[in-house]
Amino acid sequence: MLVVEDVHKSFGAIKALDGVSLSVEQGTIAGLIGPNGSGKTTLFNIISGFYEKDAGNIRLNGKSIDGLDPFRIARMGLVRTFQVAKAPAKLTILENLLLAAKNQMGEKVLDNFLKPREIFRKEKENLNKALDIAEIIKLKRFKNEYAGNLSGGQKKLLSLGRVLMANPDIFLLDEPTAGVNPVLTLELVDVIVDIRKNLNKTFLIIEHDMNVIWHLCDLVNVLVAGSNLTKGRPEEIQKDERVLEAYLSGSKST
Ligand SMILES: Nc1ncnc2c1ncn2[C@@H]1O[C@H](COP(=O)(O)OP(=O)(O)OP(=O)(O)O)[C@@H](O)[C@H]1O
Ligand SMILES: [Mg+2]
């Protein structure tokens, strides 16, 4: 479903990505782990069209997405969350969720005149869906609060809610459980497992919480200093001493 080949990216003298490759099969949950600064978020920024790469190829469902902007890539079925959650502060939780669905539909102004019944039905459907998702992310009782008043962890949850509303084929989640309490983290793991099982969706997840990675992932990719260290099933990665070593030393010396 997603194929990343030999991606390079430098910021001035810093080589953030030095030839990273990975692929994610349809209907699986892939993990992306590695020490701080190993290039995980940079890779997400490149895949989702927020940054330009220096070299490499990326394909989504067999089609090249090289050079496309984030909006186009989202319309093709790939949506990501941000490590530091952003949400329009002056919109309520509910409005934030509804906005995510609207972006996905694409607003056709003419439709408002031509298909008013259909639009009404769709908006009602979106409202019900937004309320269901607000319940899942435990923000239903804050539905009319401004997003700007949420805590860091709650903003993280809202950003997960927004991608759930957008309903992409593949979800890229950047540390979805960072700042979220342990009980709710377990529930979110269940939500992700359910979505994969029932809707056959695909996930690529950056996480520092190894428990979450072991519970969720079919395959784990390990980055160190902008390069692939290894990949494997969680139980293989757990036993791999090079991975532990990479985390202990922070990053590879070059
Ligand atoms: N916009 C940018 N400008 C300059 N340098 C950047 C930029 N984005 C990332 N970098 C650098 O690229 C390297 C990789 O950063 P990145 O954020 O991808 O790491 P990460 O693996 O996501 O780390 P963490 O686990 O801490 O989130 C770091 O050295 C970082 O300082
Ligand atoms: Mg990061």
Side-chain angles (χ1 to χ4, degrees):
M1 158 143 250
L2 177 69
V3 179
V4 172
E5 276 173 351
D6 202 20
V7 167
H8 291 254
K9 176 72 181 179
S10 293
F11 298 103
I14 299 171
K15 264 193 191 163
L17 296 174
D18 194 10
V20 170
S21 301
L22 60 83
S23 58
V24 186
E25 299 280 332
Q26 151 73 35
T28 65
I29 302 178
L32 183 59
I33 68 170
N36 294 124
S38 55
K40 305 178 298 294
T41 296
T42 302
L43 187 61
F44 267 26
N45 283 330
I46 287 173
I47 295 172
S48 55
F50 285 84
Y51 286 178
E52 270 180 48
K53 53 186 154 11
D54 300 334
N57 305 297
I58 302 175
R59 291 193 305 280
L60 180 63
N61 281 321
K63 290 195 198 106
S64 170
I65 54 170
D66 294 333
L68 298 184
D69 64 45
F71 186 70
R72 286 281 300 280
I73 294 172
R75 295 295 289 270
M76 289 170 72
L78 182 147
V79 175
R80 57 86 59 95
T81 62
F82 289 86
Q83 182 167 356
V84 179
K86 302 183 222 175
K90 289 286 176 209
L91 293 184
T92 66
I93 308 314
L94 204 53
E95 287 165 343
N96 260 281
L97 291 173
L98 289 168
L99 187 66
K102 254 206 175 107
N103 284 343
Q104 186 68 5
M105 266 201 305
E107 276 215 278
K108 296 201 190 87
V109 177
L110 255 186
D111 278 356
N112 285 311
F113 296 100
L114 300 178
K115 303 179 192 157
R117 261 169 205 273
E118 198 176 314
I119 296 285
F120 180 75
R121 186 186 53 75
K122 188 84 202 157
E123 299 215 321
K124 210 168 157 205
E125 203 178 288
N126 282 338
L127 182 61
N128 287 333
K129 190 169 161 193
L131 290 170
D132 284 349
I133 287 174
E135 172 95 53
I136 290 172
I137 57 175
K138 304 285 184 248
L139 292 178
K140 198 167 180 184
R141 67 196 163 102
F142 302 119
K143 64 181 193 287
N144 296 321
E145 277 286 330
Y146 285 129
N149 296 339
L150 294 176
S151 73
Q154 288 171 325
K155 282 191 184 131
K156 213 71 218 200
L157 292 167
L158 179 58
S159 68
L160 183 64
R162 287 170 56 98
V163 285
L164 292 176
M165 279 303 286
N167 194 26
D169 300 323
I170 177 164
F171 295 77
L172 268 55
L173 308 180
D174 196 344
E175 300 191 24
T177 71
V180 174
N181 79 63
V183 176
L184 189 47
T185 293
L186 290 179
E187 285 183 33
L188 290 180
V189 165
D190 286 343
V191 169
I192 293 171
V193 169
D194 273 356
I195 294 173
R196 186 265 289 269
K197 203 168 82 191
N198 299 328
L199 304 174
N200 196 31
K201 301 280 183 180
T202 309
F203 290 85
L204 178 59
I205 302 179
I206 297 176
E207 251 307 338
H208 284 297
D209 183 339
M210 290 306 151
N211 253 325
V212 171
I213 289 286
W214 309 140
H215 269 96
L216 283 178
C217 296
D218 302 296
L219 191 77
V220 184
N221 297 276
V222 187
L223 286 194
V224 175
S227 301
N228 298 95
L229 177 71
T230 184
K231 67 178 175 187
R233 294 202 313 277
E235 54 275 24
E236 293 166 342
I237 297 300
Q238 201 167 16
K239 280 189 297 210
D240 193 325
E241 281 179 13
R242 291 170 306 163
V243 176
L244 182 63
E245 214 171 280
Y247 271 90
L248 290 176
S249 61
S251 81
K252 185 176 70 181
S253 52
T254 41

